[in-house]
Amino acid sequence: MTHDVVALLERAPTLRGMTRALVQAGPELQVRAVAGGAVVQLRDGSGRMVAAVQAAQRLALSSEADRLLAEGIADDLPAQPWWVEARGTETGPGGVDTAGAVRGFADALVAEFGGLVWEPERRLERDDPLLTGATDHPAITRVTDRVALAVQDRPVVPLSTWLVDAVAEHAKEGRAFQLVTPSGSRITHALRSVLGNPMARWVARAPDGRYYDGFSGVPLTWNEEAGFVRDTTAAPEDVPHSAFRGAEEGQGAQILVDLKVLNPADAGLRLGRSVEFLSQTLAGSVPALWGTGEPATLAWDPADLTALARKRAPGSSWFLFTGPPNALRTEPVRPFSGTLLVTRVPEGVKESITLAVGHPPGDEPDLSVLSALVEEFTSRGVLQTISVQRRTGRPDLGYEARRSGPSLPIGLGIGVEGVASIGSERALTAPVPAAPVGPPLTHAVWYWIGDGTEADSQERFRALMAHLHPGGFPAARQRTGG
């Protein structure tokens, strides 16, 4: 488990000031810079890492602190404060007071550069040895041959750069990633997109000390090799766990989109155009922020995003983006968040986009605009597939480890090449309404499955998949939900 502290500073910290603050963390600790100085590790006399500090990041909008830490926390800060995050590895009784160390560091920074310190209230009991310990990675508490385990005790758990690095590092070794949080914590949309991977698991710890899967509520138990696995000894009446059963109040609707487009690889390509049209159509605005982890520190700029993706090519690039904060939001702009994966393929440059749009109770999504999305991406000649679903959830797109119902399909769009491979006649004689989009001989198809509220829409989706492809359509498989 880590103890996380964030210093939100009014002025940019200097190297000398950071050094003085590190001394306040513990004069007896050894300092080691890694990742080109982006991270500073603090180690005890035995060489064990007990704390780590990230380099300061300037927020393009202070609202990111409100979104990830606490509503209104940035009210008295400059519009673009500096975010410095420190985390101590809780190693159990007899170890270094890491909570005191990182708090001392943050307090020293604020005393010199102005601002405030955010520190989460403890929610997880420190009564299970599984939750304490240290490894050579600041985010990881325990490692087995098959699993890397992270433990986060904070009310909102973001996809921090710590976690992004941990997932990537251990994936190279073939390890799955598991994250433990209190059952009352929320995870962000970006983190949910990672934890939905088959090689990942969200583990929630209930107030009774037991563990369950944050998406399904299935009781879990620890296995020394495989990490948290299904508890086969759980009684039927305990499945799902009782902490998972209560639906959260104030639930609205979330529209979930998976879009895949293929762009020609030419010098004039500007990535992010599809993201902008998608978010503008469904949420009323282009993104406000983007980045490679949370907090998203950069103002939305497709030119900068494209430049970074080109720099990383031929390797892939993964980004996240968010909509404008409440203070800048005017009707009908709605909360939204998403991810973008850019991949170089032989045919061009592929953008795989996810988008989640939040609607408060009583605000019904306008589904009539979906066909316009298919028409636009078809006219550009870039559409591969688009899948749209609806689920019950928080309008702010936070996810709790509680039952919220499945994601139900609304529609599916297949681009020109996909239709050609299926065959136009077969594509248009599906068991759900099918509308051709584009020229008669080279058209895409939009399939209307339902409005995302009918329980039998899943059966219609499966029937459509069976019709289009005997084993389902891999590029447009339905997203699973808790």
Side-chain angles (χ1 to χ4, degrees), residues 162-173:
W162 308 94
L163 292 183
V164 171
D165 183 70
V167 171
E169 179 178 310
H170 286 282
K172 294 177 184 176
E173 303 296 326

Side-chain angles (χ1 to χ4, degrees), residues 445-456:
V445 177
W446 168 246
Y447 298 99
W448 182 265
I449 301 171
D451 64 6
T453 63
E454 310 102 326
D456 63 349

